[in-house]
Amino acid sequence: MLRSATAIKSLAARKSATSLYSTTSSRGMKILAILYDGGKAAEQEPRLLGTTENKLGLSDWLKSMGHEYVVSSDKEGPDSVFQKEIADAEIVITTPFHPGYLTRDIMEKAKNLKLCVTAGVGSDHIDLNAAVENKIQVLEVTGSNVTSVAEHVVMSILLLVRNFTPAHEMIERGDWKVSDIARNAFDLEGKVIGTIGAGRIGYRVLQRLVPFDPKELLYFDYNPLPEKAAKEIKARRVEDLKEFVSQCDVVTVNTPLHEGTMGLVNEELLKHFKKGSWLVNTARGAICDKDAVAAALKNGPLNGYAGDVWNVQPAPKDHIWRTMKNPLGGGNGMVPHYSGTTLDAQARYANGVRSILENYFGDKPQEPVNIIVGKSGYETKAYGQRGSEKAKHGFSSS
Ligand code: NAI
C-alpha cells in the first residue's frame, strides 16, 4: 500500500488549498478522515501514512470501490471541512495526534454517521456516551502503538532520573560542568516505579523495567492484572491512589482519558507524591492538571515531568509545560505528541484501519479488542467502571 514519492508529489500538487481531497462516486459511501498535514516530510517519506498527504494509504483502494474519501486537517469551527463534510459522512476516521472532536452536537448533526474509527489508540476525542445514545460504533486499532509508547515511557523515565536533557543542553552551549548535572542525577536501580493504569501500555512499561532491578514495581488499576501476569513481573497492586503515589519514586500514567481520569493528577494528589519524585504521562494531557504540575515542579514535590500529550494540541507557544523547570534548571522531558506515531506504528494503525473498514464493508464481525462502543453500547472496561459483563479487560498481550 505504500505510495511512491513521485505519486505522492503529484497527489500533493492536486490538493486544494484546504488540503481537501475527494474521490466522488454516487455508488459508494462517504468516508471522512481528519489527519495532520505532513508537508514536505510526508512528500519525502511515504511511510508517514497518518498524514493528509498519504491518507493512511487508503485512497486508491477506497476509490476503486467507488467510495467518496474526503481527507483534511481542517477541523476547527463550524466552517471547517470536518464540520461541513461530516453532515452526510457514514464513517469518520480520526487520529489522536490531530483529533477531530466528535462532540454530542456534531454527532447529532451527522445524521448518516454509523462508524468512528480511531487511527491509533485513545478515543477520548469522541463523546462516547453520545455515541452510545446515537448508536454510532467506535473502534480503535487496539494494540497498534502500545509498544511504541511503552518504549517512550521507559526512555522518558531514564532521561528524567539521569538528568539527561540539561546535560545535553550544556554540551550544546559549549559548557562542561559535571557537578551541575551530577548533583541531580540518579540510578533507576533500587527505585519504586508505579503505573496508574496497567493495561497494554502500563504492563509493557513495567515489563521493560524489570531488567533495571527496581526496588519494586507497583500498579493502580480498578481492573487487577491476571495473577500470572502480575507474578511474572512481580508487580504489586495498591488500591488507594494516594497511598500508591506516596510509595513511588517514579509514577507513569497509562489510562485512557474519561470522566474518571480527567484531572486525576491534581494539586491535592500531588501533595501525596514523594519529595523528588518523577512523573511521566504519555496517556492524555488532561489527566494531569497543567498548573498544578508546573507548580509541583517548581516548588516540589516533583523533580521532573515528561510526556508527549498536552491539554491542548498543538500546544500554544506559551504553554507552561514547554519551559517549566525544577529549581536546578532541569526536569522537563516534554515533546510533541509522537510517541505512538513512529513509522512502525503508522504502518500498524494504517493496516488496522483498513481491516476495520473491510469488516464494515463486508458486514463481518469486528475484532472484539478493537470495539470501544459496539452496536449495543460500551464493549470495553477501560473507559471507566460501567459494569458491562461482556466488556473486555484493559490488560491483554494483544
Ligand atoms: P488499555 O485499555 O489496554 O489499558 C488502560 C488501562 O487503564 C485499563 O487496564 C483500565 O482498567 C485502566 N484504567 C482506566 N481508568 C482508570 C482509572 N480511573 N484508574 C486506574 N486505572 C484505570 O489501554 P492502552 O492501550 O494501555 O492505552 C492507554 C491510553 O494511552 C490510551 O487510552 C491513550 O489515551 C494513551 N495512548 C497514548 C499514545 C501516545 O502516542 N501518546 C498512543 C497510544 C495510547
Side-chain angles (χ1 to χ4, degrees):
M1 281 312 295
L2 298 187
R3 203 188 302 285
S4 75
T6 330
I8 287 159
K9 269 185 199 147
S10 77
L11 254 185
R14 280 194 281 139
K15 273 195 330 164
S16 72
T18 58
S19 82
L20 173 71
Y21 173 70
S22 144
T23 58
T24 44
S25 156
S26 53
R27 287 178 290 126
M29 52 186 84
K30 179 165 174 177
I31 300 149
L32 171 63
I34 300 299
L35 303 172
Y36 57 87
D37 290 326
K40 219 178 188 152
E43 286 170 29
Q44 291 169 349
E45 179 47 84
R47 289 173 297 176
L48 275 168
L49 286 165
T51 57
T52 52
E53 290 81 0
N54 299 334
K55 304 175 174 54
L56 293 165
L58 299 174
S59 212
D60 292 345
W61 175 61
L62 291 173
K63 191 177 175 183
S64 73
M65 288 184 293
H67 299 305
E68 182 182 1
Y69 187 35
V70 179
V71 181
S72 178
S73 62
D74 180 22
K75 65 187 182 78
E76 301 301 336
D79 295 328
S80 62
V81 172
F82 173 51
Q83 292 207 22
K84 282 188 178 156
E85 298 286 339
I86 202 169
D88 59 346
E90 179 161 342
I91 301 173
V92 172
I93 305 167
T94 57
T95 162
F97 309 101
H98 184 79
Y101 289 98
L102 279 140
T103 60
R104 180 178 289 276
D105 270 6
I106 291 180
M107 269 183 219
E108 279 165 7
K109 279 180 213 145
K111 298 286 179 222
N112 214 17
L113 187 60
K114 298 199 175 54
L115 174 67
C116 298
V117 184
T118 300
V121 173
S123 297
D124 50 279
H125 54 282
I126 301 166
D127 183 331
L128 297 175
N129 292 333
V132 171
E133 285 163 37
N134 286 284
K135 302 219 173 313
I136 296 168
Q137 292 183 68
V138 178
L139 278 91
E140 56 185 45
V141 190
T142 296
S144 57
N145 52 14
V146 294
T147 300
S148 322
V149 180
E151 286 185 5
H152 193 98
V153 174
V154 172
M155 174 189 76
S156 301
I157 291 173
L158 279 168
L159 70 83
L160 288 182
V161 171
R162 304 201 59 89
N163 208 18
F164 176 84
T165 309
H168 179 70
E169 287 166 353
M170 172 186 281
I171 287 301
E172 281 199 338
R173 279 198 311 273
D175 293 341
W176 185 286
K177 201 134 197 282
V178 174
S179 54
D180 278 4
I181 301 302
R183 67 182 293 185
N184 198 23
F186 299 84
D187 296 338
L188 196 52
E189 184 182 58
K191 303 291 182 289
V192 178
I193 310 163
T195 176
I196 303 180
R200 294 172 183 83
I201 297 174
Y203 186 78
R204 278 169 175 77
V205 169
L206 297 186
Q207 252 183 338
R208 280 157 179 74
L209 290 170
V210 171
F212 287 92
D213 290 329
K215 184 172 177 194
E216 220 183 351
L217 294 174
L218 306 182
Y219 76 97
F220 172 82
D221 195 316
Y222 55 73
N223 282 311
L225 282 168
E227 205 175 319
K228 184 168 171 277
K231 241 187 191 162
E232 260 170 33
I233 58 166
K234 297 197 190 104
R236 177 166 67 85
R237 182 176 178 217
V238 180
E239 291 188 45
D240 180 86
L241 185 56
K242 287 178 182 163
E243 209 180 286
F244 168 84
V245 297
S246 73
Q247 294 178 31
C248 292
D249 298 296
V250 181
V251 174
T252 157
V253 184
N254 297 293
T255 67
L257 174 64
H258 56 77
E259 302 97 315
T261 57
M262 172 87 72
L264 186 69
V265 183
N266 53 25
E267 193 183 346
E268 173 54 26
L269 186 67
L270 282 160
K271 285 184 193 153
H272 297 267
F273 274 60
K274 255 192 189 175
K275 193 169 179 304
S277 56
W278 298 273
L279 174 59
V280 173
N281 172 20
T282 53
R284 285 295 177 260
I287 297 174
C288 296
D289 182 293
K290 171 172 76 77
D291 297 321
V293 162
L297 188 58
K298 191 172 171 203
N299 308 316
L302 290 186
N303 190 7
Y305 181 88
D308 67 332
V309 286
W310 305 71
N311 61 329
V312 187
Q313 295 191 179
K317 281 208 159 60
D318 62 352
H319 196 294
I320 194 162
W321 285 5
R322 285 181 184 265
T323 51
M324 63 186 180
K325 300 261 194 295
N326 63 27
L328 296 174
N332 185 329
M334 289 306 296
V335 294
H337 191 172
Y338 85 102
S339 70
T341 188
T342 57
L343 293 182
D344 299 302
Q346 297 204 26
R348 290 190 293 264
Y349 65 66
N351 277 335
V353 170
R354 182 173 167 142
S355 301
I356 289 169
L357 295 180
E358 277 170 349
N359 290 338
Y360 184 80
F361 297 150
D363 211 14
K364 292 190 202 133
Q366 296 288 353
E367 291 289 332
V369 289
N370 287 342
I371 309 174
I372 304 300
V373 174
K375 288 183 179 155
S376 51
Y378 279 95
E379 299 253 341
T380 175
K381 271 187 180 176
Y383 281 79
Q385 291 164 289
R386 292 187 174 81
S388 156
E389 278 308 305
K390 61 179 180 172
K392 70 179 191 280
H393 186 296
F395 172 79
S396 160
S397 53
S398 60

